[in-house]
Amino acid sequence: MSSNIIVKRICEECHQEFEARTTTTRFCSPKCTKKNYRKRIKEQKIQHAKQEFTEKKLGQTPEIESVNVKPYLNIKEACLLLGASDSTIRKLIKQGSIKTFFTGGKHLIRRQDIENLFTNALK
């Protein structure tokens, strides 16, 4: 709504002083309005991408509590338990340091074998 009131304002985008014709005007020109809109949309997209990333990252890793209970682990769970990478676990399997059972297209590792790996290293 336009009125006869003229209010001195500072543009939220370019920080220049201007005369606003309404009490709700925030920007000095349509150019500044569009610039601010694009900036807000970009920030929303970045926030959304960050949120998706953290949700995916948290959703992919099994919890350490569930790994502590299982007698047999897959390679991903063994990585989580040992704090090692996938390639390190596979290297230990190939060397014969860790024995596995290959069933259903997956390597299953006995938890006891992982614990024995450390007890044998201490001797």
Side-chain angles (χ1 to χ4, degrees):
M1 286 284 190
S2 182
S3 66
N4 294 335
I5 301 172
I6 295 178
V7 181
K8 294 263 186 188
R9 294 274 175 123
I10 295 178
C11 179
E12 291 181 14
E13 186 60 36
C14 66
H15 306 290
Q16 298 293 322
E17 188 175 307
F18 70 100
E19 293 180 353
R21 295 186 182 187
T22 66
T23 57
T24 59
T25 304
R26 297 170 44 202
F27 305 103
C28 63
S29 65
K31 183 179 176 182
C32 285
T33 305
K34 290 175 187 175
K35 207 174 190 181
N36 185 270
Y37 174 76
R38 286 189 208 114
K39 189 189 302 182
R40 282 186 291 134
I41 295 299
K42 184 178 179 180
E43 288 173 2
Q44 287 175 356
K45 286 181 181 180
I46 290 170
Q47 286 295 92
H48 181 70
K50 284 181 182 178
Q51 184 179 4
E52 271 187 4
F53 177 74
T54 54
E55 287 173 0
K56 283 184 180 180
K57 189 174 180 181
L58 292 176
Q60 289 180 347
T61 57
E63 295 296 325
I64 192 74
E65 292 84 21
S66 66
V67 173
N68 286 334
V69 180
K70 294 181 177 181
Y72 293 95
L73 307 171
N74 61 25
I75 291 178
K76 193 174 190 179
E77 292 167 339
C79 292
L80 182 66
L81 182 67
L82 296 175
S85 68
D86 184 75
S87 60
T88 303
I89 300 297
R90 291 183 186 278
K91 196 182 301 180
L92 289 171
I93 292 169
K94 197 171 189 178
Q95 291 173 353
S97 300
I98 299 176
K99 294 179 184 176
T100 64
F101 303 99
F102 192 75
T103 57
K106 291 183 178 182
H107 286 281
L108 293 178
I109 305 166
R110 285 191 320 171
R111 181 180 189 78
Q112 186 178 4
D113 291 339
I114 292 175
E115 292 170 1
N116 290 341
L117 179 70
F118 290 107
T119 56
N120 291 340
L122 293 174
K123 290 180 181 179

